[in-house]
Amino acid sequence: MAESTSPTVIHRADYTPPAFLIDTVALDFDLAAERTTVKSTLRMRRNPEVAPAAQLELAGEQLEFVSAALNGKPHHAVQVHEHGLTLGELPGTFELTLTGHCHPAQNTTLSGLYVSSGNFFTQCEAEGFRRITWFLDRPDVMSIYTVTLRADKTAYPVLLSNGNLLEAGDLPDGRHFARWEDPFRKPSYLFALVAGKLVALEERVRSRSGAEKLLQVWVEPHDLDKTRHAMDSLIHAIQWDETRYGLELDLERFMIVAVSDFNMGAMENKGLNIFNTKYVLANPETATDTDFANIEAVVGHEYFHNWTGNRVTCRDWFQLSLKEGLTVFRDQEFSADMAGGEHNPAARATKRIEDVRVLRQMQFAEDAGPMAHPVRPESYAEINNFYTMTVYEKGAEVVRMYQTLFGRAGFRRGMDLYFQRHDGQAVSCDDFRQAMADANQRDLTQFERWYSQSGTPRVNVSTHYDAAQQRYSVTLAQRPGRPLAAPAAAEPLLIPFALGLIDANGADLPLRLSGEPHAAADTTRVLELTETEQTFVFEGITALPRPSLLRNFSAPVIVAYDYSADDLAFLLAHDSDPFNRWEAGQRLATRALLTLAEAAACGAPLHLDERFTAAFTQVLNDTSLSPAFRELALMLPSETYLAEQMTESNPAAVHQARQFVRRHLAQALQHEWGATYELNRTPGAYRATPEAAGQRALKNLALSYLAELDDPAEALRLAQAQYAAADNMTDRAAALATLISIAASSSNGNGNSEASAALDDFYRRFENEPLVIDKWFALQATQRGRAGRPVLEIVRTLMSHPAFNLKNPNRARSLIFSFCAANPAQFHAEDGSGYAFWAEQVIALDALNPQVAARLARSLELWRRFTPVLRDGMRAALEQVATQVRSRDVKEIVEKALS
Ligand code: TRP
Ligand code: ZN
């Protein structure tokens, strides 16, 4: 039974260099939706560094073989099989010409060459190129590409590929052609082509060395009015990489293309980035402040890959974090600089808080489950399953630690050396670490463990004050991640631990470690924890201080310290490190909410510590803090995060606890919420600046609290007025969410007609804007349950709405993922109805798009951590899926979950 066998596992340790090299590639496409003909001419030679191989294995999938020629003559030593071609009788150097067909219109996987809205697109990372033609489809084979595209001129007026346009012109029978050349060697995963009815916003800019560059953002004609922000983001990204890293754009033209059917966010193909429309299209009417910020980040991310990923690429896919961790770090720094510049710590902190929140909620969870893996994984069955939070977000934290250890200047020296050594090469994470070590004359052998050990380390902190000696000692003890994730042989890591000490007035103390002649100028000290346990002694401390630990989240670890509630309230009010002010509030809130959730789980009455309300009130009223910061500080930890912290995850109890706190805060601060709402209106024309976005966020948080009052009449009035008057999507969507929430929580049908009228209006208004209709689906899928009407019923009804389409990943995510991954209290219904729905959808998606199916499959992976009833339901659903799915992608996920 071939179907039931487990997928083959690939190991990092098995890497061997390629036996053949491909110097140049000439690709010739006759584009047709049903059957495209691809002729590929490869100039190849044997790799002088590798013992000669008898045969050449080329990867190919879902291809129809036509012919093979060696040096222009038909070649017959060719075996065609399911995974590609095996060729024999090959000389040392040769030209191989392969002709075949692929079937873009039938391709629902969105990997390889496919059709979306009648246009052609490609997606080749990680292993999609083999679905276009036979090739050594691995990142350490780098070649120069020339690409000729031929197609019907009316149906496909625009023909794009990587690099520079060499020539274009008409052909007989209403067809035309374009020929492109990419002057840089690249691996096959960076190949791209686009063909169809598209239009572009164009700009010409000069790079630092004076060269003129053509920038284009290509979209469908009706979307041209939503391209300005993406273009501005691209221009900012180009400038930023020049100033911060001295890295210039190396091509004459740089293109971004938006496509509505796309598996992920965007793709960094050389000179021809292809984007999910979600990360390109924005105007104030259709996109929220978050959308605007995400577009800037993703445009930056893909652009920055041009150096970190393309000019220097990965030797093999185990090194994925070499490009992804580094590029995420670069896009995080770009966004922080754009929001606050280099010298505005408070503005930078809001970005840092958002990034850490994602890391803790998503990556820490990954590290605690069956998919836990090191930043540089040791093995995989399907590489697409390893584009993970660990590789991306923890990988970015690992890169950030170099900067924390060496400073910005030292980090820059390391980057310069990395490019000096490796430009044009396919390299490993070790090569990056070596460049950082050599540029800063440091031995970073121990630091390698951050790449090889999985699990979230814990740092237990204990402190001791010796009043007589005026000494304060801080003991840091590191423990490896949870047993499920961490191998028994975990060794101590080099942990940069930033710390400050705060006196009774809230001022930072000067820091002098034992043995040092005087205190350092900086009141934040980066301690280097290298042993399992170390004690750091500070001298000249005249009174008991409060420690501010792991400032700016200087390492991806969990810090355990026995803070009192008073300590936390004090730090929330006074810490000079804005990240740790937020952190103190989160600790306070998490503690209170977990106590309540455990009480709710056993049906005990709920009481909220008044000190929590007091600390919260102080933040809300502290107008010296930016609205953006206050909104982040006042946002309670998510239900998902809280459930994960419980001894046994109980989403219903968490929901009950969190709602109890929200209602309590709504009541206790009723007048403050009202005032906050009024004070943070943003009259005048919409501006997407961080300041204005912060005000809208705080105002809309206030509105959502007012909606929790027993009498929501005022919230209903405000939300309706805000919905009607909104000139931007942030305010309109927030008003709609509030109306839905009021209707859902009322027991007597109050607000029902208002909510459904607004939903109908929203749909009609934005019927022709797919990204907004995604929001319409998502808002309904994430709503809280109403008495007697579970959200799953609404979701099932929406599945048969004419606008629903399982083949479009954005749409599938907006309804199915929103329900399964962002509405825990409803999804984890005790009757198992959510799990049955999940199984149905994973199975349906598996047949269409394995990559998307595998992402959905991951929403049950933490099943062992839940209460017994839920655990049993989840296991049954996982077992059902395991027997029915076919893709390597989903099999790997469910098999790991069940093992
Ligand atoms: N390399 C891309 C990025 O991070 C992401 C990516 C990997 C991707 N595989 C993909 C995008 C498949 C779309 C489809 O920028
Ligand atoms: Zn990337």
Side-chain angles (χ1 to χ4, degrees):
M1 297 265 292
E3 276 162 26
S4 63
T5 55
S6 295
T8 318
V9 175
I10 316 217
H11 296 271
R12 182 173 72 89
D14 294 343
Y15 173 83
T16 52
F20 292 85
L21 302 174
I22 306 176
D23 292 317
T24 66
V25 183
L27 293 173
D28 203 290
F29 287 86
D30 263 305
L31 291 166
E34 292 305 318
R35 196 177 79 165
T36 285
T37 305
V38 185
K39 189 175 104 185
S40 161
T41 305
L42 311 174
R43 289 238 289 270
M44 301 190 64
R45 62 191 159 94
R46 288 173 186 273
N47 184 351
E49 274 150 39
V50 172
Q55 291 178 319
L56 167 62
E57 297 287 351
L58 295 180
E61 276 173 16
Q62 309 278 303
L63 296 173
E64 219 181 291
F65 179 78
V66 176
S67 64
L70 186 70
N71 297 323
K73 300 205 183 74
H75 189 59
H76 299 293
V78 181
Q79 214 187 305
V80 184
H81 52 82
E82 205 192 336
H83 305 289
L85 299 179
T86 307
L87 298 109
E89 296 167 30
L90 299 169
T93 304
F94 55 93
E95 187 184 86
L96 184 64
T97 305
L98 301 167
T99 305
H101 302 300
C102 59
H103 307 92
Q106 273 76 259
N107 183 359
T108 57
T109 66
L110 310 184
S111 163
L113 178 64
Y114 64 95
V115 175
S116 168
S117 308
N119 299 325
F120 290 101
F121 298 89
T122 55
Q123 171 56 42
C124 294
E125 187 175 6
E127 298 179 334
F129 192 73
R130 64 189 61 183
R131 303 169 56 88
I132 298 173
T133 185
W134 296 272
F135 206 73
L136 291 174
D137 192 13
R138 42 185 290 169
D140 56 352
V141 172
M142 298 172 77
S143 327
I144 298 283
Y145 285 66
T146 314
V147 179
T148 306
L149 304 174
R150 279 189 296 272
D152 183 90
K153 192 172 179 175
T154 320
Y156 310 106
V158 173
L159 303 173
L160 309 175
S161 192
N162 316 84
N164 301 316
L165 182 63
L166 293 180
E167 56 171 328
D170 288 339
L171 295 168
D173 302 328
R175 293 170 69 76
H176 71 148
F177 79 98
R179 211 151 64 83
W180 294 81
E181 183 192 52
D182 182 350
F184 294 93
R185 289 168 74 237
K186 67 166 176 286
S188 53
Y189 82 86
L190 292 174
F191 164 79
L193 77 76
V194 171
K197 292 197 186 87
L198 299 168
V199 295
L201 173 68
E202 288 193 359
E203 288 271 321
R204 275 164 218 277
V205 296
R206 265 184 205 292
S207 68
R208 203 158 62 159
S209 63
E212 195 184 74
K213 312 284 182 184
L214 173 61
L215 311 180
Q216 296 175 317
V217 179
W218 291 94
V219 296
E220 290 186 41
H222 59 267
D223 289 326
L224 197 56
D225 62 341
K226 300 181 213 71
T227 51
R228 190 64 245 171
H229 179 65
M231 177 63 85
D232 289 340
S233 302
L234 176 60
I235 294 170
H236 292 146
I238 292 172
Q239 287 166 347
W240 184 85
D241 222 11
E242 287 184 353
T243 13
R244 179 110 178 232
Y245 290 107
L247 299 172
E248 267 192 58
L249 174 56
D250 55 8
L251 289 163
E252 292 157 31
R253 77 160 84 192
F254 191 87
M255 298 171 276
I256 285 177
V257 187
V259 57
S260 53
D261 293 288
F262 204 68
N263 284 346
M264 311 249 264
M267 180 62 213
E268 70 265 23
N269 317 299
K270 184 78 186 187
L272 181 58
N273 289 355
I274 299 182
F275 276 62
N276 188 325
T277 45
K278 183 174 164 60
Y279 297 107
V280 175
L281 304 179
N283 66 27
E285 288 75 41
T286 61
T288 61
D289 293 327
T290 306
D291 294 327
F292 274 84
N294 288 342
I295 289 167
E296 180 180 80
V298 178
V299 168
H301 179 97
E302 305 310 329
Y303 177 75
F304 302 143
H305 267 315
N306 191 49
W307 280 93
T308 51
N310 302 3
R311 287 290 287 256
V312 183
T313 194
C314 301
R315 186 192 71 170
D316 56 72
W317 291 120
F318 295 102
Q319 316 301 326
L320 183 57
S321 197
L322 172 76
K323 74 176 177 82
E324 296 304 347
L326 177 53
T327 305
V328 170
F329 168 73
R330 274 152 55 69
D331 85 53
Q332 290 176 347
E333 289 289 279
F334 168 58
S335 295
D337 283 349
M338 295 302 291
E342 195 180 330
H343 304 290
N344 183 345
R348 297 183 71 83
T350 58
K351 171 64 179 158
R352 185 72 185 129
I353 290 164
E354 287 163 3
D355 292 338
V356 172
R357 209 169 45 183
V358 169
L359 181 85
R360 276 212 287 237
Q361 183 165 316
M362 319 275 290
Q363 196 279 326
F364 283 19
E366 182 166 279
D367 248 346
M371 269 294 286
H373 55 277
V375 163
R376 184 190 58 203
E378 295 299 337
S379 66
Y380 60 75
E382 171 50 61
I383 183 58
N384 284 316
N385 287 333
F386 285 79
Y387 287 75
T388 58
M389 282 289 151
T390 300
V391 165
Y392 276 66
E393 310 300 324
K394 186 175 180 182
E397 294 300 321
V398 170
V399 172
R400 185 177 292 279
M401 286 190 284
Y402 293 109
Q403 182 171 278
T404 303
L405 290 167
F406 304 138
R408 273 198 191 193
F411 185 79
R412 171 67 192 270
R413 280 194 299 277
M415 290 287 277
D416 289 350
L417 186 59
Y418 174 66
F419 293 118
Q420 197 183 309
R421 283 181 180 170
H422 301 299
D423 187 13
Q425 299 176 5
V427 304
S428 70
C429 298
D430 290 333
D431 294 315
F432 184 79
R433 182 167 49 87
Q434 198 58 53
M436 282 291 157
D438 293 348
N440 292 284
Q441 285 114 46
R442 271 286 298 255
D443 178 353
L444 288 178
T445 312
Q446 184 181 12
F447 200 78
E448 200 256 348
R449 293 175 190 157
W450 279 111
Y451 294 89
S452 59
Q453 293 183 182
S454 67
T456 310
R458 175 181 286 270
V459 177
N460 296 322
V461 181
S462 51
T463 54
H464 175 73
Y465 182 56
D466 182 338
Q469 302 287 326
Q470 305 200 335
R471 269 191 189 144
Y472 188 69
S473 10
V474 178
T475 300
L476 305 178
Q478 55 170 308
R479 304 279 177 265
R482 300 187 196 191
L484 180 64
E491 309 254 28
L493 297 154
L494 162 53
I495 298 177
F497 195 97
L499 158 149
L501 299 179
I502 300 176
D503 73 12
N505 302 316
D508 273 350
L509 291 169
L511 299 180
R512 177 163 70 87
L513 283 168
S514 284
E516 292 176 348
H518 34 245
D522 201 338
T523 53
T524 296
R525 182 82 181 220
V526 180
L527 304 173
E528 293 188 14
L529 175 62
T530 55
E531 314 284 325
T532 300
E533 184 168 319
Q534 264 166 278
T535 298
F536 299 87
V537 180
F538 294 93
E539 304 282 354
I541 307 293
T542 54
L544 176 69
R546 286 189 175 87
S548 169
L549 303 170
L550 203 76
R551 280 184 162 174
N552 205 36
F553 198 71
S554 62
V557 301
I558 295 165
V559 173
Y561 180 63
D562 199 9
Y563 280 117
S564 70
D566 286 339
D567 286 339
L568 292 173
F570 189 88
L571 292 172
L572 175 59
H574 298 292
D575 200 322
S576 69
D577 183 63
F579 178 87
N580 267 5
R581 281 188 80 164
W582 172 79
E583 180 73 333
Q586 292 299 293
R587 280 179 188 269
L588 209 52
T590 303
R591 208 183 271 187
L593 283 158
L594 285 177
T595 307
L596 289 165
E598 300 289 358
C602 52
L606 307 185
H607 294 291
L608 183 61
D609 183 343
E610 275 315 308
R611 282 176 301 185
F612 174 77
T613 313
F616 211 85
T617 312
Q618 197 180 351
V619 175
L620 182 55
N621 292 336
D622 185 347
T623 47
S624 75
L625 294 168
S626 72
F629 182 87
R630 279 186 282 159
E631 193 261 342
L632 286 168
L634 297 173
M635 192 192 298
L636 300 176
S638 75
E639 292 183 14
T640 306
Y641 177 75
L642 292 166
E644 224 242 300
Q645 312 302 307
M646 293 181 78
T647 3
E648 273 183 346
S649 296
N650 184 336
V654 165
H655 183 71
Q656 206 189 322
R658 199 168 178 277
Q659 277 307 114
F660 174 80
V661 173
R662 281 179 58 81
R663 277 197 295 273
H664 182 91
L665 291 171
Q667 221 74 52
L669 300 174
Q670 180 168 359
H671 297 290
E672 284 85 348
W673 291 124
T676 301
Y677 185 90
E678 292 306 327
L679 279 169
N680 288 283
R681 289 180 187 269
T682 49
Y686 172 86
R687 289 169 62 238
T689 59
E691 297 73 29
Q695 285 196 282
R696 279 187 287 273
L698 184 57
K699 175 191 69 184
N700 288 324
L701 182 78
L703 180 61
S704 82
Y705 271 102
L706 290 170
E708 305 286 358
L709 290 168
D710 289 339
D711 176 7
E714 175 68 356
L716 188 60
R717 191 184 64 74
L718 288 173
Q720 274 194 295
Q722 178 171 320
Y723 181 88
D727 68 349
N728 66 83
M729 182 49 71
T730 304
D731 282 342
R732 197 184 297 278
L736 179 57
T738 301
L739 291 171
I740 295 173
S741 157
I742 291 170
S745 55
S746 111
S747 45
N748 53 11
N750 249 343
N752 262 336
S753 61
E754 289 86 348
S756 62
L759 272 168
D760 289 347
D761 176 85
F762 192 90
Y763 186 83
R764 274 195 306 276
R765 219 181 256 264
F766 298 109
E767 209 165 356
N768 299 316
E769 298 289 354
L771 295 171
V772 183
I773 297 303
D774 289 340
K775 296 182 197 300
W776 184 80
F777 279 107
L779 277 170
Q780 297 179 78
T782 53
Q783 69 184 302
R784 76 172 70 132
R786 310 164 183 230
R789 178 124 202 246
V791 176
L792 181 57
E793 260 178 42
I794 299 169
V795 170
R796 283 198 182 274
T797 308
L798 287 171
M799 294 284 293
S800 46
H801 189 282
F804 185 74
N805 172 13
L806 191 63
K807 288 185 183 160
N808 176 260
N810 285 355
R811 196 52 53 85
R813 285 186 278 255
S814 74
L815 186 58
I816 301 171
F817 287 52
S818 293
F819 179 72
C820 295
N823 196 345
Q826 290 291 307
F827 176 62
H828 294 282
E830 283 216 348
D831 62 7
S833 54
Y835 307 147
F837 174 74
W838 168 89
E840 273 169 48
Q841 301 313 320
V842 172
I843 292 163
L845 279 166
D846 182 66
L848 294 171
N849 188 330
Q851 285 186 41
V852 173
R855 298 268 159 185
L856 180 62
R858 293 197 57 187
S859 42
L860 287 199
E861 72 188 18
L862 291 177
W863 66 278
R864 285 176 207 274
R865 307 184 52 83
F866 284 75
T867 58
V869 179
L870 300 181
R871 208 188 300 160
D872 292 346
M874 283 190 251
R875 186 221 295 268
L878 279 161
E879 280 167 351
Q880 186 202 340
V881 166
T883 60
Q884 291 189 37
V885 293
R886 283 158 183 276
S887 74
R888 186 165 61 200
D889 309 57
V890 179
K891 277 189 182 177
E892 179 172 34
I893 301 297
V894 295
E895 283 175 14
K896 280 186 175 159
L898 288 168
S899 72

